[in-house]
Every structure is written in C-alpha cells, then in structure tokens.
Amino acid sequence: MLHRNLALHTDLYLPRWMYIYWKQGRHHEKVVFDLYYRSNPFSGGYVVFAGLENIVHYLENVSFTEADIAYLKEQLGFEDEFEDVLRNFKFTGSLYSVREGEVIFPHEQVVRIESTIFEAKLFQTALLNIANHESLIATKYARIRQAAPNETLLEGGARRAQGVDAAYYGTRAAYIAGFDVTSLVSAGRDFDVPTGGTMEHADIQFHDDELSAFRSFAEMYPDNTSLLIDTYDTLKSGLPNAITVAKELEAKGHRLKSVRLDSGDLAYLSKRARKALNEAGLDYVKIVVSGDLDEYVIQDLRMQGAEADTFLVGTRGITAYEQPALGMVYKLVAREDESGELKPVIKVSSSKVKTTTPHKKELYRIIDNETKKFKGDYIALADEPVESYTEIDLIDVRDPAFKIKTRNFNVKRLLQPIFFDGKRVYDLPSTSEIRAYHHEQMNGLWEEYKRLRLPEVYSVTFSKPLWDLKLQMIRNTRIFKEV
C-alpha cells in the first residue's frame, strides 16, 4: 500500500477554519457530516462504492509533522500555542460506512463521520478525493464487466492514468468490479491481483523480422506466450507467423496461449483469426482484443460476433473517459447545541438537488424475501426502529408521486461501524473478499437497473419523520429569509 501521511492533503480554507474554531474555543464541539453523491455517472443506474480501505489508512496515519506545522504557520499566521494542538492531532471520532463493493445510489449517505468540528474539517478534501476517484473507476469497470459477462477482462491502463495513485488504486477498483487480471505489477503484488500481459509493437520492431520476435518470446516462455499479430499485416504476416510458432511449440510439447489484436476492424479480424487458428488445429489458442475498448465498444463487438476470449481495457477504463468526476459531496447535517444534544442543520439552495438532508441518519436496503432482489433503499432518522417494520412505503425522493407498498421483506443496515471513538473496530477484508461481496450485491440488483443505456431508476426513500423534518426546516429557513 502507498501509506503516507496526508495531513496537508487539504484545501487551505479548512485548516484556516480549524484555527478560527480553536480561537473561539469551539473546536471540541461535535458534528455529523455525510458523504454522498447526487446523480449517477455515465447516465447509468448505480455506483460501486470503493476507497474505504484507503480512507481507513488515511485516518490511521494522519498527523502533522514539524515541517507541516511550519508551513501552515507561514500560510495562516497562528500563535505558538496552536502548534501544540496540531502536534497532538489524531482522529478521535467515529466513522460509519457502507462496505467496499456495495452498490449505492444518489442521495444516500455512504460515509458518516461523527467527530469534533476540528477533525471533521481537515478530513473533507482527502475523503472526497479518495471516495470520488475510486468509486468512479470501480463503477466504470463494473459497467465494462456487464458488457462482457463471461469473457476474461485484462486491465492495462496504468500508462494512461492521471498519475501514479490513479493507476495504482484504479487497478484495485477494476479487480473489485470484476476484472480478472492486471498488467500493473505493483497493484498485483499489493492487492493480490493476478498479473498478466502480452507484448508490444516495439518488441517486434526491435527484431529483424516478426517471426524472430515471436520465436524469442516462445523460447523464453513456452507455456505463457501471447503474440501481438497486427504490427505489420494481421492476416498476411502476423497470423501466419503466429501459427508457425504455435506448431513449433506443439512439437516441443507446449501450447501457444493466445494471439492479440490491437487495431483494425476487431470484429472482422477476430473472426478471420479464429477460423484460421481452428483450421490449423489450434482451437485452444485464445484471442485477445484491445484498442480503446469500453462497455459500448465491447457490447457492439459481441453483437457483431467478434471472436474474443479476452478484452484488454486501457485508457477508457482507468480514466473513466467520458465522465471526469463523480461529484460526491461532504455536508454538515448535525451539530452539538448548548446542552450537548445533536441539533439538525440544513443547507437550503435554490437548486433543489443541492438542498441537504438534515440530521444523523441510517441507510437500509429493503430486500424481497422471495426473490432476494433489492426492492429499494430507505433512509431514516437514526432513532427510527426500521428493522422492526413489517410494512414500508417506498416513495422515491426524485418522484414522490410514485409509491410502492412493500411487505414480506428483509431489512439490511448498510452503514457499518469502522471507527468508534478513534479506534478501528472493523477488520479490513482482502481485495478478493471485496470483489466477491461486490459480485453478490450486483446479483441482488434487477437487470433493469443495470442497463448501460436508459436504466430504470432505483427507489431511494426518505422515511416520513425524515421527510417532515426536512420540509419543516426548509420552510423555516425560507420564512426567515423573507423577513
């Protein structure tokens, strides 16, 4: 893992307000912040939550070095006493989160942090940075897995990622979302992801001829040779030379693993390659296809009968390509009042989607007892006994005119305790365990919500007490503004 102290991985106004609250003697006051997003990326039906492990390591390691303190003092101009406050900084609050690999939806608080305002302010940038990036990339790769449910998927986008961290954690997100193999060695080692790859055009150009390059590979790795066949001419050169090497390997008791197509009409060329390989008695040789692939290209290739056993996805996966950001936000929903009780707070905006949902809340998934499929999600105030309900009205917050009365269901609480009073109370699962959990959750989602284009809208319901509280606070705020 790339464990680092990221205390200064924060926007300057956040430590500035930490200092202001300390000067006012309010830095110990308790608050509740929610992390959520407002709309699905890629015009899709869901998001895959990822980044929790990275968040945990961030919170466990965050502290201010002497160099950090000196730099902040230069920027903010605080007195010497504040230096000791920063020297002793550590996370002492509580954090609740959905599990990594969980399928989530708009307006749901997927991380809840309960701490002092002093701590919560510092964490905003890092938590959003981590969750936004890793969840976006995991969602993109989950969509690609949907487009190729049975084929092997190879992640190979590190060289096109926006930085080292993006490549490293993006590879982890790909594996969680269902990819089988990565080309990135560091991620393979640290996250126990299977590694693999083929060869590049330079390996062929470095030799005097294509056949010599193929033979070099086969000589060194006779049981793991994958030949790139489109450097010069796929059908007239690359494919015949690959068949020659495959026959030479057979004569020595080995088998060519695969051939790879990286350009041209991939559907047409893959079908021609499959036919030629089969006629040569090489039906066991797999075909790898690459070249600016995403879920839409893969879907079209499969519709056109492309003969691909493996799809190698690079740029369009690791960068999320058409969706540069997810848009998760981190909003204050409750604060401690003079009596020490939590008081709900709200931000009211003329843009409806930016009005926040107040108070400390819980998130539940309503699961049909017969089909085991998800019927919808339910957000309630923290003190509501939702798990004892035998009947629930599902009324999506985006379309309150539509109601489904639900019975015979199971209630699953989605927010899990991760830290309590500064101590981690959650055992981090392995990447393989997260991957398996994600697969299980995707199976619980009806296919209509997983469509790549124009999916059905998954129901997210606010309980009546929560909805009433929100409406009343909006009315009170607007009346106050009018006076």
Side-chain angles (χ1 to χ4, degrees):
M1 294 291 292
L2 298 176
H3 292 181
R4 292 165 297 181
N5 174 28
L6 297 175
L8 294 191
H9 192 67
T10 187
D11 294 296
L12 182 62
Y13 76 95
L14 300 171
R16 175 180 288 140
W17 275 95
M18 292 167 66
Y19 178 53
I20 291 171
Y21 293 136
W22 177 78
K23 286 288 288 183
Q24 294 175 340
R26 301 188 62 193
H27 59 298
H28 289 308
E29 292 182 20
K30 299 295 178 62
V31 294
V32 179
F33 276 82
D34 284 347
L35 189 152
Y36 62 96
Y37 73 99
R38 297 178 177 126
S39 61
N40 289 319
F42 315 113
S43 299
Y46 63 88
V47 159
V48 179
F49 178 68
L52 177 59
E53 181 174 309
N54 206 0
I55 289 172
V56 167
H57 290 307
Y58 162 73
L59 292 175
E60 289 183 324
N61 288 281
V62 65
S63 61
F64 290 93
T65 67
E66 291 302 315
D68 294 338
I69 294 169
Y71 181 76
L72 277 181
K73 189 170 185 177
E74 178 185 311
Q75 296 296 308
L76 302 178
F78 50 72
E79 56 262 48
D80 293 345
E81 291 86 348
F82 192 63
E83 294 182 24
D84 286 334
V85 177
L86 295 180
R87 287 189 184 98
N88 295 321
F89 182 90
K90 64 177 182 178
F91 179 44
T92 63
S94 300
L95 184 115
Y96 298 81
S97 175
V98 302
R99 293 173 59 177
E100 277 203 271
E102 189 67 81
V103 183
I104 57 173
F105 303 93
H107 308 292
E108 300 181 340
Q109 71 282 20
V110 295
V111 174
R112 185 179 77 225
I113 189 164
E114 303 173 25
S115 68
T116 64
I117 185 65
F118 192 76
E119 297 172 20
K121 289 296 288 185
L122 179 68
F123 302 148
Q124 177 173 334
T125 304
L127 264 59
L128 284 174
N129 186 189
I130 293 167
N132 264 310
H133 172 254
E134 295 187 42
S135 299
L136 178 69
I137 302 304
T139 305
K140 181 64 174 179
Y141 281 121
R143 289 168 57 82
I144 294 171
R145 170 46 80 191
Q146 281 177 245
N150 301 313
E151 289 78 11
T152 299
L153 293 177
L154 169 58
E155 189 286 316
R159 68 192 67 187
R160 303 288 176 79
Q162 288 100 337
V164 172
D165 282 13
Y168 183 73
Y169 290 111
T171 294
R172 178 178 181 273
Y175 189 62
I176 288 171
F179 269 57
D180 302 290
V181 185
T182 181
S183 64
L184 186 60
V185 178
S186 60
R189 176 198 62 190
D190 294 349
F191 303 124
D192 196 25
V193 177
T195 56
T198 60
M199 64 190 305
E200 65 173 343
H201 298 291
D203 297 318
I204 297 168
Q205 294 168 292
F206 185 71
H207 289 75
D208 290 336
D209 59 79
E210 186 177 56
L211 185 57
S212 296
F214 287 179
R215 282 172 171 160
S216 292
F217 196 164
E219 181 180 355
M220 295 300 298
Y221 295 97
D223 296 309
N224 196 26
T225 300
S226 184
L227 303 176
L228 180 59
I229 61 174
D230 70 332
T231 302
Y232 301 124
D233 188 304
T234 300
L235 299 180
K236 295 180 179 179
S237 174
L239 187 57
N241 283 331
I243 291 172
T244 296
V245 170
K247 290 300 183 180
E248 291 172 353
L249 283 170
E250 278 188 341
K252 298 175 182 178
H254 304 285
R255 283 187 165 191
L256 177 64
K257 185 177 180 180
S258 62
V259 296
R260 176 177 151 217
L261 297 165
D262 188 51
S263 60
D265 186 332
L266 298 174
Y268 170 76
L269 292 173
S270 67
K271 287 185 279 189
R272 288 289 303 272
R274 182 75 277 157
K275 184 173 184 294
L277 290 168
N278 288 353
E279 289 175 349
L282 302 171
D283 58 312
Y284 58 83
V285 175
K286 305 295 185 183
I287 297 176
V288 180
V289 169
S290 61
D292 286 331
L293 303 183
D294 62 11
E295 63 269 43
Y296 305 112
V297 175
I298 290 173
Q299 191 175 64
D300 287 345
L301 287 173
R302 295 181 73 240
M303 289 175 60
Q304 294 160 20
E307 292 281 359
D309 303 287
T310 297
F311 292 106
L312 193 165
V313 179
T315 305
R316 292 176 181 265
I318 201 69
T319 64
Y321 210 66
E322 75 271 28
Q323 180 86 31
L326 174 53
M328 279 189 178
V329 294
Y330 180 87
K331 296 298 181 182
L332 179 69
V333 296
R335 65 179 177 87
E336 192 176 28
D337 64 16
E338 296 79 5
S339 67
E341 296 295 319
L342 277 179
K343 171 186 176 181
V345 297
I346 192 170
K347 171 199 169 188
V348 178
S349 173
S350 57
S351 176
K352 180 181 175 182
V353 74
K354 289 193 172 185
T355 295
T356 60
T357 303
H359 223 334
K360 181 178 174 179
K361 304 173 289 295
E362 293 292 344
L363 173 63
Y364 301 91
R365 181 146 293 160
I366 310 304
I367 304 172
D368 188 274
N369 279 331
E370 293 183 5
T371 65
K372 308 303 179 185
K373 297 287 188 180
F374 306 155
K375 295 187 73 66
D377 288 358
Y378 194 80
I379 304 174
L381 294 170
D383 59 358
E384 293 184 58
V386 175
E387 288 163 304
S388 67
Y389 291 175
T390 58
E391 182 176 294
I392 284 180
D393 288 337
L394 296 179
I395 308 171
D396 187 78
V397 296
R398 290 155 291 182
D399 186 10
F402 186 70
K403 179 172 73 173
I404 301 176
K405 189 170 289 293
T406 304
R407 302 181 181 89
N408 190 27
F409 57 83
N410 181 45
V411 176
K412 175 184 175 183
R413 185 189 293 258
L414 294 186
L415 291 175
Q416 304 291 312
I418 310 300
F419 286 89
F420 187 76
D421 289 343
K423 295 182 179 179
R424 178 149 62 94
V425 295
Y426 178 77
D427 292 329
L428 291 171
S430 68
T431 313
S432 293
E433 288 171 333
I434 298 169
R435 171 188 169 91
Y437 179 74
H438 166 68
H439 179 72
E440 176 186 318
Q441 299 317 295
M442 288 296 286
N443 284 340
L445 196 61
W446 289 103
E447 295 301 317
E448 289 82 353
Y449 302 119
K450 295 189 281 188
R451 282 199 297 262
L452 298 180
R453 296 178 175 88
L454 298 175
E456 284 295 307
V457 176
Y458 184 87
S459 176
V460 177
T461 298
F462 290 169
S463 71
K464 189 175 187 306
L466 174 59
W467 190 244
D468 289 346
L469 172 65
K470 182 172 182 175
L471 290 179
Q472 187 59 52
M473 293 188 73
I474 291 172
R475 293 187 186 109
N476 291 345
T477 302
R478 286 179 173 160
I479 290 171
F480 176 80
K481 285 184 175 180
E482 290 172 1
V483 173

